Amino acid sequence: MKIYINGEYFDKENAKISVFDHGFLYGNGVFEGLRAYNGKVFKLEEHIERLWDSAGSIALEIPITRKEMVDAINQTLKLNDIKEGYVRLIVTRGGGTLGLNPFECTNPQVIIIAAQLALYPKDLYEVGLDIVTASTMRMPPAALDPRIKSLNYLNSIMAKVEGLRAGCEEALLLNHKGEVAECTGDNIFILRNDELMTPPTDASILEGVTRNVVIAIAKKLGIVVKEIALTRHDIYVAQECFLTGTAAELIPVVSIDSRKIGTGKPGPVTKKLLEAFHLETQK
Ligand code: PMP
């Protein structure tokens, strides 16, 4: 495995950053998770845009151009001979003092890791996920905007701990208003009254690239899509439910908080959207 750090490639054992890097000390940095299909990165521009938005929001200047980043991603995939895989893009604040001042950090690290996919087991797509609502709340935008994909994922990790301890691979986080936000690493959709519904971008969610692709696909298929505030009740009484994310793609949810959703099996609209999504990735 060859890992890109600031224009150079290192073997896994030698791909290292300083313990004084504020990415390590304070989670001060941003990242992206991308996916390659047939050797081509899916929705590359959208991920690049979100990375630059995240960096801009935390006043972090990415030390290379977008074009250089795109070239580096493609080069890393090529060098690792990965056509179907996952790419992790990281930009750290760089090494500084033990104080918080980010402007004393001098050398932001741009890191690109291309790897095989660590997916949910295939049968989960056929039987669907059981999830629980976590007591951990999604970060309110007034504290830190959840649309920033920062290197601090403790909020999601705390919810993941709750999910795993309840025997579930995923957990649902509510926002500070008690509305449905998203899962630990995926956005959530439901089908209700034959309409597709998902929380709006101001509901303390990460605005998922996959979420936006699925919304566009559904509209093209003639399905009504509503970006609307949801409560747990909406999920409890939904006909269908699924999660979206770069790694997961589109995965059915068949129960939440021990309540069966719909028939308790992945629904027809979920399956149709997953099929259409797969076609989209092959374009
Ligand atoms: N929400 C969170 C918290 C995430 O970390 C992610 C990405 N793993 C998503 C949603 C899905 O975003 P995307 O479709 O862009 O991968």
Side-chain angles (χ1 to χ4, degrees), residues 202-213:
D202 63 357
S204 294
I205 64 165
L206 180 80
E207 192 175 347
V209 170
T210 320
R211 169 191 183 275
N212 293 347
V213 170

Side-chain angles (χ1 to χ4, degrees), residues 47 50 138 149 153 156 182-187 206-211 244-246:
H47 284 284
R50 189 169 66 187
R138 192 79 177 127
K149 201 163 165 64
Y153 251 55
S156 278
E182 62 181 335
C183 286
T184 65
D186 296 309
N187 294 111
L206 180 80
E207 192 175 347
V209 170
T210 320
R211 169 191 183 275
T244 63
T246 294

Side-chain angles (χ1 to χ4, degrees), residues 48-120:
I48 293 288
E49 194 64 31
R50 189 169 66 187
L51 182 77
W52 253 262
D53 284 349
S54 294
S57 194
I58 68 163
L60 167 62
E61 200 169 319
I62 298 176
I64 57 174
T65 65
R66 293 173 193 226
K67 162 95 175 53
E68 284 166 337
M69 186 70 89
V70 167
D71 290 347
I73 293 167
N74 287 325
Q75 179 68 18
T76 306
L77 279 167
K78 216 166 151 192
L79 216 66
N80 287 283
D81 198 22
I82 289 180
K83 293 202 165 52
E84 309 284 329
Y86 182 83
V87 178
R88 176 58 58 89
L89 203 57
I90 303 150
V91 185
T92 74
R93 184 73 69 171
T97 67
L98 290 177
L100 283 182
N101 189 345
F103 302 118
E104 284 178 9
C105 298
T106 48
N107 56 343
Q109 302 289 294
V110 178
I111 301 164
I112 304 172
I113 306 168
Q116 299 301 330
L117 275 166
L119 283 176
Y120 288 120

Side-chain angles (χ1 to χ4, degrees), residues 46-275:
E46 285 81 347
H47 284 284
I48 293 288
E49 194 64 31
R50 189 169 66 187
L51 182 77
W52 253 262
D53 284 349
S54 294
S57 194
I58 68 163
L60 167 62
E61 200 169 319
I62 298 176
I64 57 174
T65 65
R66 293 173 193 226
K67 162 95 175 53
E68 284 166 337
M69 186 70 89
V70 167
D71 290 347
I73 293 167
N74 287 325
Q75 179 68 18
T76 306
L77 279 167
K78 216 166 151 192
L79 216 66
N80 287 283
D81 198 22
I82 289 180
K83 293 202 165 52
E84 309 284 329
Y86 182 83
V87 178
R88 176 58 58 89
L89 203 57
I90 303 150
V91 185
T92 74
R93 184 73 69 171
T97 67
L98 290 177
L100 283 182
N101 189 345
F103 302 118
E104 284 178 9
C105 298
T106 48
N107 56 343
Q109 302 289 294
V110 178
I111 301 164
I112 304 172
I113 306 168
Q116 299 301 330
L117 275 166
L119 283 176
Y120 288 120
K122 200 163 179 280
D123 61 317
L124 270 185
Y125 288 81
E126 271 127 48
V127 296
L129 282 176
D130 299 309
I131 66 172
V132 283
T133 306
S135 64
T136 306
M137 191 199 291
R138 192 79 177 127
M139 190 72 85
L144 184 68
D145 202 301
R147 279 187 283 181
I148 302 165
K149 201 163 165 64
S150 88
L151 288 180
N152 189 329
Y153 251 55
L154 271 178
N155 181 250
S156 278
I157 291 164
M158 291 302 97
K160 184 94 181 171
V161 166
E162 291 187 58
L164 290 172
R165 287 197 169 150
C168 296
E169 285 286 332
E170 257 299 0
L172 176 70
L173 291 97
L174 306 179
N175 66 21
H176 57 290
K177 292 187 267 184
E179 300 159 349
V180 169
E182 62 181 335
C183 286
T184 65
D186 296 309
N187 294 111
I188 188 162
F189 286 78
I190 58 166
L191 189 76
R192 210 185 154 191
N193 304 326
D194 294 321
E195 294 176 343
L196 203 58
M197 300 180 188
T198 193
T201 54
D202 63 357
S204 294
I205 64 165
L206 180 80
E207 192 175 347
V209 170
T210 320
R211 169 191 183 275
N212 293 347
V213 170
V214 168
I215 289 174
I217 290 175
K219 285 182 178 166
K220 248 195 233 164
L221 290 174
I223 300 168
V224 175
V225 184
K226 289 185 176 161
E227 295 181 53
I228 187 172
L230 301 171
T231 69
R232 269 185 294 176
H233 171 77
D234 294 300
I235 319 279
Y236 291 165
V237 300
Q239 291 161 268
E240 297 184 28
C241 178
F242 61 84
L243 310 180
T244 63
T246 294
E249 298 181 315
L250 203 148
I251 187 159
V253 175
V254 292
S255 87
I256 178 164
D257 302 338
S258 309
R259 291 156 175 85
K260 197 159 78 171
I261 297 176
T263 60
K265 296 210 167 65
V269 174
T270 305
K271 284 184 188 163
K272 193 167 154 187
L273 285 168
L274 180 57
E275 235 168 71

Side-chain angles (χ1 to χ4, degrees), residues 2-61:
K2 295 284 180 199
I3 294 164
Y4 171 104
I5 305 179
N6 287 354
E8 285 182 65
Y9 285 93
F10 299 88
D11 290 327
K12 191 176 173 184
E13 306 73 54
N14 297 320
K16 294 174 180 163
I17 65 159
S18 163
V19 293
F20 289 96
D21 194 305
H22 281 206
F24 170 72
L25 284 174
Y26 297 117
N28 187 345
V30 292
F31 78 101
E32 273 299 317
L34 311 90
R35 187 159 167 163
Y37 296 93
N38 288 331
K40 188 169 168 254
V41 178
F42 185 60
K43 301 290 168 192
L44 180 52
E45 287 306 316
E46 285 81 347
H47 284 284
I48 293 288
E49 194 64 31
R50 189 169 66 187
L51 182 77
W52 253 262
D53 284 349
S54 294
S57 194
I58 68 163
L60 167 62
E61 200 169 319

